[in-house]
Amino acid sequence: QRGGGGGGGSKLEIILCPSEAAGKVIGRDGETIKSIQTKTGAFVKIQLATEVKPGAERRITVSGAPSSVAAAVKLVEDIISETHH
């Protein structure tokens, strides 16, 4: 759900990421996730593999300014869809 109202402020989006795509989103030594954060200015956090059952989806929490969050969500979703063909 998307909350309306409030100008500026911060926004939080949660994306469910298939376990096989999580590694791609994180990247080698966290490179990909760091670059998404640097490019967009949003904070991106991926649920640890140890917190979910093997093969279960992992939650990716994206927070920050609404425009930063939208940009980061798009980049993450692009990576997930590339993994899924």
Side-chain angles (χ1 to χ4, degrees), residues 29-72:
D29 296 329
E31 288 299 313
T32 308
I33 200 164
K34 279 182 202 145
S35 106
I36 290 172
Q37 293 185 97
T38 307
K39 272 187 214 160
T40 64
F43 179 70
V44 185
K45 186 176 186 301
I46 297 197
Q47 191 175 25
L48 298 171
T50 52
E51 292 177 9
V52 297
K53 292 191 180 89
E57 288 184 321
R58 284 156 71 179
R59 265 198 323 271
I60 301 178
T61 308
V62 185
S63 56
S67 58
S68 302
V69 169

Side-chain angles (χ1 to χ4, degrees), residues 9 11 13 20-21 23 30 54 58 60 63 68 81-82 85:
K11 186 172 169 54
E13 286 260 351
E20 66 271 19
R58 284 156 71 179
I60 301 178
S63 56
S68 302
S81 64
E82 277 168 24
H85 296 300

